[in-house]
Amino acid sequence: MKIPKGLQPLIDDGMVDTVVRKLKSGKEASVYIVACGGEIRCAKVYKEAEQRGFHKLAQYQEGRKTRNSRDARAMGRRGRHGRRVQEEEWKNAEVDALYILANAGVRVPAPYLVHEGVLLMELVRDVHGDPAPRLNEVSITPEQARAWHDFMIAQIVRMLCAGLIHGDLSEFNVLVDANGPVIIDLPQAVNAASNNNAFAMLERDVNNMRATFGQAAPELLETEYAREIWKLYEASELRPDTVLTGLFTRSDAAADVDAVLSHIEEERREAEERQRRRDEADAA
């Protein structure tokens, strides 16, 4: 096939021998099957910002560390340099997440390298050696649904214990290989400790899995894993091997809105003061 523009640098530098075919095209990237020596792998070519369909990017990038304070300020000003830095951060985020999660025992494709904005990684295969289907393409029994739901909840817990939340987890970015589910598509992975939207994204990931597997095993629709997981996480009591119940009792007590707003304002002032000190240090 004709070599895509994004893959030409990997061909030129000898990291990829040939492009076999396009595997899929998504909202933020196109994925190709490529030959690298004697291995068949995946190459993920990220689309430029104006071509991507992924919305609310800043919401996902909140709390991510940039390489230096100059880049952080540039991203905040949204100028040309800031947009370029933001693009690089987006493209590097997935490989960083893959290495972190693979080391934490989460089932993700093995990453190999990032070169010129292209991620080279393992090709996930099914029982026949073909590219693995997505979860939404697989018919499952109630027994499989229960087992895979348990497995995915455990994977989400393991991810959170490693400090990350997928942020866009659904049946469309889980592959099913010869041994079960494999989590993919992580450029929007959320830093759990420093993103104000962390719980909302965790809850959505968990509830997406609940809805998916609940189609085959309806009793799963009654579970409340997200709030149980988050309560344990906030109390620093969550571990990869924590036994969960899927039960959570909601409090009927009224929220203290004034106290919450006061806390938010205090955090804002402290953040402004920290930024002022950083700016003064950079100017010195």
Side-chain angles (χ1 to χ4, degrees), residues 1-5 7-8 19-20 32:
M1 66 171 287
K2 182 179 178 181
I3 298 173
K5 180 181 177 181
L7 289 177
Q8 190 63 54
V19 180
V20 179
Y32 298 86

Side-chain angles (χ1 to χ4, degrees), residues 6-7 45 54 63 94 124 127 129 131-132 158 161 167 221 237 250 262:
L7 289 177
V45 183
F54 203 91
E94 182 159 27
V124 181
V127 292
R158 194 171 286 274
C161 289
L221 299 175
E237 295 175 357
R250 298 172 185 259
S262 175

Side-chain angles (χ1 to χ4, degrees), residues 23-268:
L23 181 58
K24 71 166 187 171
S25 182
K27 57 192 174 185
E28 79 264 2
S30 294
V31 180
Y32 298 86
I33 299 177
V34 298
C36 308
E39 299 291 332
I40 299 296
R41 294 176 176 171
C42 273
K44 187 170 186 177
V45 183
Y46 295 95
K47 296 179 180 179
E48 297 303 321
E50 61 271 14
Q51 297 176 302
R52 286 202 305 260
F54 203 91
H55 303 297
K56 300 181 181 178
L57 178 59
Q59 184 178 11
Y60 289 84
Q61 290 186 319
E62 178 187 330
R64 289 183 182 174
K65 294 180 180 179
T66 53
R67 287 174 172 76
N68 56 59
S69 56
R70 176 175 178 267
D71 286 346
R73 292 196 303 274
M75 288 174 66
R77 288 194 292 266
R78 301 290 296 158
R80 181 179 299 176
H81 175 63
R83 290 194 298 271
R84 186 166 60 249
V85 171
Q86 189 175 52
E87 280 297 291
E88 289 305 310
E89 292 290 325
W90 178 264
K91 292 176 181 180
N92 290 329
E94 182 159 27
V95 71
D96 292 343
L98 286 173
Y99 277 114
I100 290 170
L101 297 178
N103 289 335
V106 178
R107 293 203 77 214
V108 294
Y112 297 118
L113 58 87
V114 173
H115 184 68
E116 299 291 334
V118 177
L119 169 59
L120 197 63
M121 59 184 170
E122 171 192 7
L123 174 64
V124 181
R125 301 170 183 266
D126 66 10
V127 292
H128 306 293
D130 298 321
R134 299 183 190 186
L135 180 58
N136 69 301
E137 300 169 331
V138 177
S139 297
I140 57 177
T141 65
E143 291 75 17
Q144 281 179 316
R146 296 182 192 103
W148 285 358
H149 178 263
D150 287 350
F151 176 78
M152 288 303 299
I153 293 299
Q155 293 288 283
I156 290 170
V157 167
R158 194 171 286 274
M159 290 175 68
L160 186 55
C161 289
L164 295 176
I165 296 167
H166 188 288
D168 193 34
L169 189 61
S170 74
E171 68 271 29
F172 299 103
N173 43 38
V174 175
L175 300 179
V176 180
D177 73 0
N179 297 307
V182 179
I183 297 170
I184 62 170
D185 292 343
L186 287 146
Q188 74 294 316
V190 171
N191 186 313
S194 57
N195 190 301
N196 289 325
N197 304 293
F199 170 67
M201 293 181 185
L202 175 80
E203 185 176 41
R204 185 173 62 197
D205 285 354
V206 170
N207 290 350
N208 281 345
M209 293 295 96
R210 180 178 68 185
T212 295
F213 295 113
Q215 295 177 47
E219 70 274 13
L220 295 175
L221 299 175
E222 304 301 320
T223 58
E224 286 277 7
Y225 282 102
R227 293 180 181 277
E228 181 184 13
I229 290 168
W230 192 252
K231 182 178 180 180
L232 291 167
Y233 173 73
E234 286 189 311
S236 299
E237 295 175 357
L238 188 68
R239 303 288 182 271
D241 59 353
T242 296
V243 177
L244 302 172
T245 65
L247 304 175
F248 185 83
T249 303
R250 298 172 185 259
S251 173
D252 293 328
D256 187 344
V257 177
D258 290 339
V260 172
L261 292 176
S262 175
H263 178 70
I264 291 173
E265 178 62 19
E266 182 180 347
E267 289 288 333
R268 184 188 64 79

